[in-house]
Amino acid sequence: MPAIEVRKVPLHHVSDASEMVKLIDDGVFSADRVIAVVGKTEGNGGVNDYTRILADRAFREALVSRGADPEAVKEVPIVWSGGTDGVISPHATIFATLPPDMAEPSDELRLTVGYAMSEELLPEDIGRSAMITKVADAVKAAMSRAGITDPADVHYVQTKTPLLTLKTIADAHSRGETVFTEDTLHSMDVSNGGTALGIAVALGEIEMPTDDDIMRDRSLYSAVASCSSGVELDRAQVVVVGNARGVGGRYRIGHSVMEDALDADGIWEAIRSAGLDLPERPHTSDLDGRLVNVFLKCEASQDGHVRGRRNAMLDDSDVHWHRQIKAAVGGVTAAVTGDPAVFVSVSAAHQGPEGGGPVAAIVDLG
């Protein structure tokens, strides 16, 4: 696996890829070496969030305009999480491979990336054992492509999977099949949760769960899963990010978990895990420009409390809890990093401990 270059760029509007184009034109990486993009768009984050499609099209068209093969660009995993509630700023993190003359191999652990697509996920698969198995197989394929043999070296698995729509629900019914839920917004949580369990199975974090465990037994989770779902695709798009020896490069990734929505220490621990030497009580200034980005999932605690204090998120009929918890955790995260362009995504069922969520951090070691 070649060395990886990773850069974070702002989105100036929802269909803007100009900052990626600047990196390509400046020779930071070439268009045909971009292997994955993970980003935040400013839509509503719901079933009908078409900003994800607009951003996807903009980035793919930009890659083609700069010389990448159109057919190859279609296969590049570009994962958009909709919703930049609160201070979260629209942005993208771009992963590209480097030619051998731009990075010397190293025996130190350095960033590596692999990607894969699962078998087709049928509407009746979502939130059931079939989904777990298909996702687990794709995670293992992505690990292999990343050159990772030890699951302990996997620190972040970003996925995009289909959720249920009225059309796909009707399709299942027309074939005599049932679906987990007919609530299309809730199907986002279901798709993310089933996918996370597939990641956990692939990495040996848990044994294979039963259908009855999905969305019910929250003690079953992956500490490295970051799952997103939408209407853009019909299978699981899997990006595995970890560390490997021999690849070289300047970057390394680490992870931890937030135990609850206010757990800033969990974010700092992920940054330490990636390799930055920080004081016992770190400050944003200690990052010294070496943090590329952090990637978090968050979830409103099902008991309606944070640190013993009651909140009204789950009872609020005006603003869905998805948007409230995302804004809250986005603020906590930006306070740590000093940068509002952070990847904070909601709907974290089976992703990190209940009421909290996983955190991954990528740092530039120079």
Side-chain angles (χ1 to χ4, degrees), residues 118-123 125 134 234-235:
S118 75
E119 294 180 37
E120 181 181 358
L121 289 167
L122 301 173
D125 293 340
K134 290 177 181 180
D234 62 1
R235 59 198 67 216

Side-chain angles (χ1 to χ4, degrees), residues 278-356:
L278 298 171
E280 183 179 352
R281 296 188 62 82
H283 181 266
T284 302
S285 59
D286 296 314
L287 297 173
D288 195 26
R290 293 173 294 171
L291 178 66
V292 178
N293 206 1
V294 288
F295 306 83
L296 299 87
K297 292 294 291 189
C298 58
E299 182 92 349
S301 180
Q302 291 187 308
D303 66 4
H305 288 74
V306 175
R307 301 197 181 181
R309 296 290 192 180
R310 182 177 69 88
N311 63 72
M313 282 187 286
L314 297 178
D315 287 328
D316 193 332
S317 298
D318 295 315
V319 181
H320 195 275
W321 67 263
H322 277 191
R323 310 200 71 166
Q324 298 191 48
I325 193 65
K326 191 189 309 175
V329 174
V332 171
T333 306
V336 168
T337 65
D339 182 358
V342 288
F343 187 91
V344 178
S345 177
V346 76
S347 186
H350 301 299
Q351 298 153 76
E354 202 278 317

Side-chain angles (χ1 to χ4, degrees), residues 256-278:
S256 187
V257 296
M258 291 179 75
E259 296 294 341
D260 61 31
L262 300 179
D263 185 16
D265 288 341
I267 304 171
W268 285 116
E269 185 55 38
I271 298 169
R272 283 193 181 92
S273 169
L276 287 193
D277 186 16
L278 298 171

Side-chain angles (χ1 to χ4, degrees), residues 49-249:
D49 184 351
Y50 298 108
T51 65
R52 298 181 297 230
I53 296 175
L54 294 172
D56 184 274
R57 179 181 298 172
F59 270 66
R60 293 186 195 278
E61 289 177 352
L63 291 174
V64 172
S65 76
R66 287 304 187 269
D69 176 66
E71 291 304 310
V73 167
K74 290 179 182 177
E75 302 302 316
V76 175
I78 299 182
V79 180
W80 296 105
S81 170
T84 51
D85 304 84
V87 299
I88 301 170
S89 184
H91 69 281
T93 304
I94 305 159
F95 299 86
T97 60
L98 292 176
D101 62 345
M102 289 184 68
E104 299 222 357
S106 169
D107 287 334
E108 298 293 326
L109 287 168
R110 289 295 184 268
L111 189 73
T112 182
V113 178
Y115 56 92
M117 296 289 284
S118 75
E119 294 180 37
E120 181 181 358
L121 289 167
L122 301 173
E124 58 267 28
D125 293 340
I126 294 174
R128 292 173 173 157
S129 298
M131 180 181 217
I132 294 173
T133 300
K134 290 177 181 180
V135 168
D137 288 343
V139 171
K140 291 175 183 177
M143 279 181 61
S144 177
R145 290 179 180 173
I148 297 174
T149 56
D150 185 351
D153 289 327
V154 175
H155 295 277
Y156 175 46
V157 182
Q158 178 65 56
T159 63
K160 191 76 176 186
T161 51
L163 46 70
L164 292 168
T165 65
L166 293 179
K167 180 179 179 180
T168 58
I169 292 169
D171 170 62
H173 290 334
S174 73
R175 294 181 285 103
E177 301 289 347
T178 64
V179 292
F180 188 102
T181 178
E182 297 195 9
D183 180 335
T184 57
L185 182 57
H186 179 53
S187 77
M188 176 183 295
D189 301 327
V190 174
S191 182
N192 291 355
T195 302
L197 291 174
I199 294 167
V201 167
L203 300 179
E205 294 175 285
I206 63 170
E207 298 296 326
M208 181 69 185
T210 67
D211 281 357
D212 289 340
D213 293 327
I214 301 171
M215 300 301 294
R216 295 182 180 90
D217 187 351
R218 298 300 182 102
S219 70
L220 301 176
Y221 66 82
S222 170
V224 298
S226 176
C227 305
S228 182
S229 52
V231 298
E232 307 96 300
L233 69 177
D234 62 1
R235 59 198 67 216
Q237 192 177 67
V238 177
V239 181
V240 166
V241 188
N243 298 314
R245 300 186 190 279
V247 297

